């Protein structure tokens, strides 16, 4: 999540603090889910059980009734990279 800024984190934290303590806060931009997702402690055990290439998206879907979408008007929250090559490409250095 190389393009996140402190204001993005602050918005997610503020949303969490103002709502139900079991809500999962999922930032969105243009109706697309972004990052960072704020997970309350009550979900930590389920997250720890994830293995392999399974992300927490399945948990968001499983607990859809506890998800609060937080609109953030900045596509930076949609940028996520998982490899050094992807980060280099994002920075304009190519994939190799």
């Amino acid at each position: 999540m190389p393009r996140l800024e402190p204001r993005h984190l602050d918005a997610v934290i503020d949303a969490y603090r103002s709502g139900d303590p079991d809500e999962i806060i999922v930032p969105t931009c243009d109706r697309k889910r972004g990052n960072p997702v704020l997970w309350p402690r009550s979900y930590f055990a389920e997250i720890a059980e994830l293995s392999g290439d399974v992300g927490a998206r399945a948990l968001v879907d499983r607990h859809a009734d506890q998800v609060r979408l937080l609109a953030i008007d900045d596509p930076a929250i949609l940028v996520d990279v998982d490899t050094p090559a992807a980060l280099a490409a994002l920075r304009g250095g190519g994939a190799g």
Side-chain angles (χ1 to χ4, degrees):
M1 299 172 249
R3 297 212 169 130
L4 288 183
E5 298 177 12
R7 64 188 174 92
H8 301 128
L9 299 171
D10 290 342
V12 171
I13 292 167
D14 289 346
Y16 174 75
R17 287 181 176 161
S18 70
D20 179 330
D22 285 327
E23 284 183 320
I24 302 163
I25 307 299
V26 179
T28 64
C29 181
D30 297 326
R31 294 185 290 223
K32 297 175 189 162
R33 291 180 186 175
N35 287 297
V37 174
L38 191 149
W39 291 90
R41 181 182 307 269
S42 58
Y43 298 97
F44 287 5
E46 283 183 84
I47 293 169
E49 291 176 7
L50 296 173
S51 64
D53 195 24
V54 176
R57 181 179 303 243
L59 293 181
V60 169
D61 293 339
R62 183 182 310 157
H63 298 288
D65 60 326
Q66 285 298 111
V67 171
R68 178 161 39 135
L69 301 177
L70 173 66
I72 296 180
D73 188 26
D74 187 343
I77 68 160
L78 304 176
V79 179
D80 189 17
V81 296
D82 296 317
T83 66
L87 183 58
L90 181 68
R91 290 180 174 161

